[in-house]
Amino acid sequence: MARRSSNREGRDPWAVALRLLSRRDYGIDELRQRLLVKGFPGEEVEAVIARGIDLGYLDDARRVEQLSRTLLSTGRAAGPRLLQELRRRALPEELICAAVSASRAAGSEDEALRALIARRFPTFNFSAADERERRRVLSYLQRRGFPLGRILTELKRTDT
């Protein structure tokens, strides 16, 4: 049985890009880095990127919007943590700032916080909890980027 070769010979960068994009959406710089790491020459990678943009397969604005919505709705990131996660993926800074501002203006962070508390801590009662349990819940929510003031307001609101 022939073993599949891991070298670049015979591989088309466009086919590799399509295979990557069929699994999930990528930002332009993200896909560029993936193709360069796989050993494709820079000029071939740039041609693939240009083709992907022309066909609408690559769109940083769509990627930022989709990723920020997903991170917020799952409760994995909000506020500064959301900024950090979007920047980590090498997306354009102006799109990141616009998406975070839009989510704040729409109240998405507050909705995400409520949903996360309801899903993760459905029986938590702030006034009845001991100090250790309070710290555990507060720490969990703060690590996801929610501000302490909002967390306390929401936890105390759910006590009634």
Side-chain angles (χ1 to χ4, degrees):
M1 181 154 107
R3 187 166 178 201
R4 189 172 161 178
S5 174
S6 64
N7 67 5
R8 196 187 81 68
E9 265 183 60
R11 290 188 7 203
D12 176 28
W14 178 245
V16 172
L18 287 177
R19 183 179 51 80
L20 290 169
L21 289 167
S22 70
R23 294 181 182 158
R24 71 171 181 89
D25 210 5
Y26 279 84
I28 293 169
D29 286 340
E30 224 178 349
L31 184 63
R32 179 180 291 122
Q33 284 303 108
R34 290 293 300 262
L35 293 173
L36 289 172
V37 165
K38 289 184 178 290
F40 293 109
E43 57 276 355
E44 286 182 26
V45 170
E46 291 308 315
V48 166
I49 296 296
R51 186 175 177 190
I53 292 170
D54 289 343
L55 293 172
Y57 295 164
L58 292 173
D59 183 359
D60 278 344
R62 182 183 65 220
R63 175 72 174 139
V64 168
E65 192 273 327
Q66 175 265 335
L67 187 58
S68 64
R69 189 173 3 101
T70 299
L71 289 170
L72 267 173
S73 67
T74 59
R76 288 179 24 216
R81 174 81 185 266
L82 180 61
L83 279 169
Q84 177 187 14
E85 289 296 321
L86 293 172
R87 285 178 177 149
R88 186 174 64 85
R89 289 170 172 85
L91 295 162
E93 187 67 26
E94 63 275 0
L95 294 175
I96 291 171
C97 292
V100 171
S101 295
S103 71
R104 285 186 181 142
S108 299
E109 287 185 6
D110 293 333
E111 292 171 18
L113 177 59
R114 282 186 204 102
L116 182 60
I117 290 170
R119 185 176 60 247
R120 181 75 185 190
F121 308 106
T123 61
F124 181 74
N125 184 332
F126 187 78
S127 57
D130 66 351
E131 189 62 30
R132 183 174 182 222
E133 184 68 12
R134 283 182 185 177
R135 275 196 313 265
R136 185 182 71 82
V137 171
L138 289 173
S139 178
Y140 177 85
L141 295 169
Q142 280 186 302
R143 280 192 309 272
R144 275 140 188 83
F146 295 103
L148 181 60
R150 283 190 189 157
I151 295 169
L152 290 172
T153 300
E154 190 58 34
L155 288 174
K156 289 175 183 176
R157 186 186 71 76
T158 58
D159 279 352
T160 57

